[in-house]
Amino acid sequence: MLSSLNQLMLKRPRLASGVAGGFLGGCGDLAAQQLERLYQPDSDSTRRALEPARTALVGSFYCGAAAGFYFPFYAWMDVAFGRSGWRAVAGKVCADNFVALPFEIPMFYACTVAPRSGSTAALARLREDFVP
């Protein structure tokens, strides 16, 4: 089974990137929901069940982001900064933090918060969480 998965990743790396991004994003959201329930015992998240719609939105976002944005972006960074050495690492970290993240985080809120709470609430939450 692992050799089949490896062959798929070699033949269709963008698809593999999207599947991995969606899976890891969904698992990460489930973990975040559990942590919210554990560390915020008096909040609404404790009183409600896990939200599969939220997990599906987060997983879908990261599936698309991994395949549509990060796959070509990381390939570009390899060409622009090289594949090894401290200069390559420093350049890639700067590019990720100052080029990718300023676009990714607002898109994350638009794709995951807005469908559940509305665009006004998503914008307010983005201002509250991201701007500081």
Side-chain angles (χ1 to χ4, degrees):
M1 180 171 152
L2 290 178
S3 65
S4 298
L5 184 59
N6 190 44
Q7 288 300 322
L8 173 67
M9 291 192 318
L10 292 172
K11 288 181 184 176
R12 301 196 181 266
R14 189 181 293 248
L15 174 64
S17 177
V19 169
F23 176 75
L24 293 172
C27 288
D29 182 68
L30 287 173
Q33 288 186 54
Q34 287 292 74
L35 289 171
E36 288 170 4
R37 295 164 60 91
L38 182 65
Y39 289 106
Q40 297 174 352
D42 296 331
S43 71
D44 289 339
S45 61
T46 304
R47 293 185 278 281
R48 67 176 180 251
L50 293 177
E51 297 179 62
R54 173 181 147 171
T55 300
L57 287 169
V58 171
S60 297
F61 171 79
Y62 280 111
C63 176
F69 177 74
Y70 279 107
F71 184 81
F73 182 67
Y74 286 159
W76 169 80
M77 286 199 303
D78 279 348
V79 171
F81 301 110
R83 299 189 98 184
S84 64
W86 68 270
R87 288 182 188 195
V89 171
K92 289 177 181 183
V93 168
C94 287
D96 196 43
N97 286 330
F98 297 110
V99 175
L101 284 179
F103 295 104
E104 180 195 350
I105 292 173
M107 289 305 299
F108 177 81
Y109 280 82
C111 294
T112 61
V113 177
R116 293 180 7 248
S117 303
S119 58
T120 305
L123 189 57
R125 189 152 164 219
L126 179 64
R127 284 187 186 128
E128 180 182 305
D129 293 346
F130 180 60
V131 173

